Amino acid sequence: MIKFLDLKAVTLLHADEIHEAVARVVDSGWYLQGSENAAFEEHYAQYIGTRYCVGVANGLDALIWIYRAYIEMGFMKPGDEVIVPANTYIASILALTENGLKPVLVEPDLTTLEMDDSLIEQAITSRTRSILIVHLYGRCAYTERIGALCRQYNLKLVEDNAQAHGCYALPNTPVGSLENQTSSSGARGADVPIPRRTGSLGDAAGHSFYPGKNLGALGDAGAVTTDDKELADTIRALANYGSQRKYVFKYRGRNSRLDELQAAVLDVKLKHLDEDNAHRQQIAAYYYDNISHPLVNLPRRMPDANNVYHIFPILCPERDRLQEYMTLQGIQTLIHYPIPPHKQECYRQWNAMSLPVTERIHRQELSIPISPVLSLDEAKTIVRAINAFE
C-alpha cells in the first residue's frame, strides 16, 4: 500500500535531531513560555521575513487571534465583513464567525482553485474591513490585484498560511506598496521587489503546524507572523488569558500557547523545510509531466517557488469511482474536501446558496500522495494507475 502520508517515515527523516530536542526540553524542567519558544519564534520570523512571530496552540487559534486583536485595537467590530474564499477548509471561516464577523464568500478560479481575484471588488461594501486569502493546497493565492484592492479600499490583508510553509509570492509581483519593499541591494523603494514568502505578504498571517503539514509538529501547534508590533503584543496577551503582566488582565483572553516540546521539534524541522519542499516539487513535476487521462484535470501549473505542494489535487468527474479504483491498486488517496463550507450544517443559513465552481471542485477533487518520503518509483506507480483508469 502506498500511503497518502506516512507520518512515521516523515519523522524518521530527522529522528536523531528530534529526539535530542525533545530530551533537552524534558531534562530542562521548563515546559511553557521558555527558551525553546523564543528560539523558534525568532527563527520562524526570520524564515518567513517578518519582524514578529507569536506561537499559539494551533492554526485556527492563530486566525481567531488576528481578527480578535483587530477588534480589540479598534480596526474592526462585530458585524464587519471579511472577504474569504468559498473553496477553503472550514477553519478559515470559523475564525471569522468566532469573532462575530461576517464572511463574504467569493468563488475560486477553476484553473487555480484559489479565490478568483476578478470577483473580489464586486463583493466589497462599506462594511468590508479585510480580505482573507488562503494559500490552499500549498499554492500562493496572492495576486497583484488583491494587493491593489487592499490599498485602494484600506483593507487588512490576512493570510491563512496553514498549507504553504516555505512558499513564495511570484518573484516579479509587487507585494504591498513599493515603499515597503527592499531590493537585494537593500535600497528602499526598489523598482523590482525581492521575492517574499507567504506569511509576510499582508498585514498578518496565521500558520498551522498540524503534524501532516509541510512544517508539522508532533501535535497541535500554530503561529502568527506580522510586522505590526501592536498586533503581535495584543495577540500574545490574548493567547495568555488576556494578560500582558502576571495576574493583570487587559483582555478577556484564552489559554492558547505553543508549548516548549512542540517549539523545539518545529525548530529542528524548520532547518530541513526547504529541502523537504524541494522533494515535493520534484514529485509534482513528475505528475505534471506524466499524468495524461481524458477524465483527469490538473490545476494550472505554477513556478516551483510559488507552490510547495502540501496537497496535490486532481479533478475528475468520476472522482468516487477513481478513488475506489486507486484503493484497489494499493494507493491511498484523500478528498480535500467532500463538503464545502456553505453546505455544512453549522452554517445552515448558507445551505441554499449556489456556488457552482466551489461545488464542482468539492465534487471532483481527489488528492494523490505527495510528501518528502514519497519515492519517484512510487510516483511512477501512481501515474501508471491514473493513466490506466477506465
Side-chain angles (χ1 to χ4, degrees):
M1 167 69 76
I2 298 176
K3 293 183 178 180
F4 180 78
L5 175 63
D6 189 340
L7 275 180
K8 183 176 180 180
V10 169
T11 303
L12 285 173
L13 282 175
H14 316 300
D16 290 344
E17 292 175 86
I18 290 172
H19 281 285
E20 180 183 342
V22 170
R24 183 176 67 247
V25 175
V26 171
D27 293 343
S28 75
W30 195 292
Y31 308 124
L32 280 171
Q33 306 290 283
S35 59
E36 301 292 347
N37 249 281
F40 173 69
E41 289 178 347
E42 178 183 356
H43 297 157
Y44 194 61
Q46 291 172 350
Y47 178 84
I48 293 295
T50 57
R51 292 185 178 93
Y52 308 103
C53 170
V54 181
V56 296
N58 54 69
L60 173 57
D61 277 5
L63 293 174
I64 288 173
W65 297 133
I66 289 170
Y67 282 101
R68 171 72 181 279
Y70 279 136
I71 290 172
E72 295 287 355
M73 294 163 63
F75 290 111
M76 299 177 195
K77 61 182 181 300
D80 285 344
E81 296 175 355
V82 177
I83 290 172
V84 63
N87 178 41
T88 186
Y89 183 58
I90 200 167
S92 311
I93 296 169
L94 288 171
L96 303 179
T97 56
E98 175 78 9
N99 282 296
L101 299 168
K102 180 182 177 182
V104 177
L105 307 181
V106 171
E107 284 266 62
D109 180 327
L110 190 59
T111 67
T112 67
L113 311 184
E114 306 290 350
M115 185 159 53
D116 187 340
D117 64 4
S118 71
L119 303 177
I120 293 175
E121 189 165 19
Q122 67 195 46
I124 295 174
T125 73
S126 60
R127 300 298 301 274
T128 307
R129 296 293 179 266
S130 172
I131 297 176
L132 173 58
I133 58 174
V134 183
H135 304 298
L136 202 63
Y137 314 116
R139 301 169 63 90
C140 179
Y142 178 87
T143 68
E144 185 177 357
R145 179 182 283 180
I146 291 173
L149 288 170
C150 287
R151 293 190 295 273
Q152 180 181 347
Y153 291 97
N154 192 28
L155 306 177
K156 295 293 185 184
L157 177 59
V158 177
E159 301 170 75
D160 181 339
N161 199 48
Q163 299 187 4
H165 316 114
C167 187
Y168 281 96
L170 293 170
N172 60 350
T173 300
V175 177
S177 55
L178 278 180
E179 63 265 24
N180 292 325
Q181 303 301 310
T182 306
S183 72
S184 57
S185 64
R188 288 284 177 182
D191 291 333
V192 181
I194 61 170
R196 292 177 62 178
R197 293 190 195 271
T198 57
S200 71
L201 310 180
D203 296 285
H207 308 254
S208 168
F209 305 123
Y210 182 78
K213 299 296 171 63
N214 291 35
L215 179 60
L218 299 185
D220 277 321
V224 174
T225 53
T226 183
D227 284 334
D228 185 333
K229 184 178 187 303
E230 183 183 3
L231 182 72
D233 289 345
T234 304
I235 289 169
R236 192 176 296 282
L238 285 167
N240 186 36
Y241 298 98
S243 174
Q244 292 176 316
R245 186 159 56 92
K246 195 168 185 178
Y247 302 132
V248 178
F249 302 94
K250 184 175 181 179
Y251 310 106
R252 298 178 186 177
R254 286 214 322 254
N255 177 11
S256 176
R257 298 173 299 199
L258 176 65
D259 70 64
E260 290 284 279
L261 281 169
Q262 303 304 340
V265 170
L266 288 167
D267 211 33
V268 168
K269 297 179 78 172
L270 179 61
K271 294 184 293 185
H272 303 283
L273 178 56
D274 288 343
E275 177 186 353
D276 291 346
N277 283 343
H279 184 82
R280 290 175 180 268
Q281 290 162 342
Q282 291 170 3
I283 297 296
Y286 184 81
Y287 285 159
Y288 270 109
D289 291 341
N290 293 281
I291 291 176
S292 179
H293 192 288
L295 290 178
V296 175
N297 294 305
L298 308 184
R300 189 168 72 220
R301 193 170 185 174
M302 304 174 77
D304 272 353
N306 311 126
N307 194 342
V308 292
Y309 298 100
H310 171 59
I311 292 167
F312 195 96
I314 62 176
L315 299 180
C316 177
E318 298 187 33
R319 187 265 311 281
D320 293 344
R321 193 166 69 83
L322 174 58
Q323 185 175 41
E324 292 173 4
Y325 161 81
M326 295 291 278
T327 301
L328 292 174
Q329 303 305 306
I331 300 166
Q332 185 182 28
T333 60
L334 294 179
I335 296 171
H336 294 91
Y337 302 94
I339 305 172
H342 71 285
K343 295 297 184 182
Q344 297 286 352
E345 185 177 354
C346 63
Y347 291 119
R348 61 181 64 87
Q349 69 272 26
W350 296 339
N351 287 176
M353 288 178 65
S354 175
L355 295 169
V357 180
T358 295
E359 291 161 22
R360 177 176 172 182
I361 292 170
H362 287 250
R363 283 196 309 270
Q364 297 188 1
E365 195 277 342
L366 186 68
S367 303
I368 60 177
I370 192 163
S371 77
V373 296
L374 188 77
S375 70
L376 182 58
D377 283 344
E378 288 174 319
K380 290 178 179 178
T381 299
I382 292 165
V383 169
R384 284 196 296 270
I386 292 172
N387 291 346
F389 174 60
E390 295 180 348

